[in-house]
Amino acid sequence: MPLRVTQFRIARLGSDELWSARETGYALHPLGDYWLLTGRNLDLIAAEERAIERALAVAVFLSLALGVFGGLVLTRYVGRRLDGIAKAIEAAGEVTFPAASIW
């Protein structure tokens, strides 16, 4: 049986208080003399979207925090090494090289 494209609709279905208060995504499929109604309550999808957005926001925040923390730690480590190198050079005094050895 070949697949057919069906139109997906969004509406508030029924007169029942439970269903008329919520949006539902649905599609109608002809099935002989009858119609088959398939659908899903969109409140669940919206809740899942919010949970995904929250998780993404937490992940971005943690990434930024870890990046800043890692940068500070790396800066301190490199700064200490450079200070050690500078102190060693100062302790050695002024170093001169013969002009012939440079050129």
Side-chain angles (χ1 to χ4, degrees):
M1 172 181 245
L3 294 175
R4 282 190 305 178
V5 176
T6 58
Q7 185 177 3
F8 185 78
R9 299 178 180 110
I10 297 175
R12 296 179 190 269
L13 298 177
S15 59
D16 183 7
E17 185 178 316
L18 178 65
W19 285 100
S20 63
R22 298 182 170 136
E23 286 189 335
T24 303
Y26 68 95
L28 284 170
H29 308 277
L31 197 62
D33 292 337
Y34 301 100
W35 289 91
L36 175 64
L37 174 68
T38 58
R40 184 171 187 148
N41 187 338
L42 298 182
D43 289 346
L44 298 174
I45 295 172
E48 289 175 10
E49 286 178 352
R50 285 190 299 274
I52 291 170
E53 289 169 355
R54 262 194 315 272
L56 182 62
V58 168
V60 167
F61 174 75
L62 287 176
S63 296
L64 289 173
L66 287 173
V68 168
F69 178 73
L72 292 174
V73 168
L74 185 64
T75 300
R76 286 193 64 174
Y77 174 73
V78 170
R80 285 182 184 168
R81 299 243 356 224
L82 289 176
D83 284 343
I85 293 169
K87 286 179 183 176
I89 291 173
E90 288 175 3
E94 187 174 329
V95 179
T96 58
F97 295 102
S101 66
I102 295 176
W103 306 106

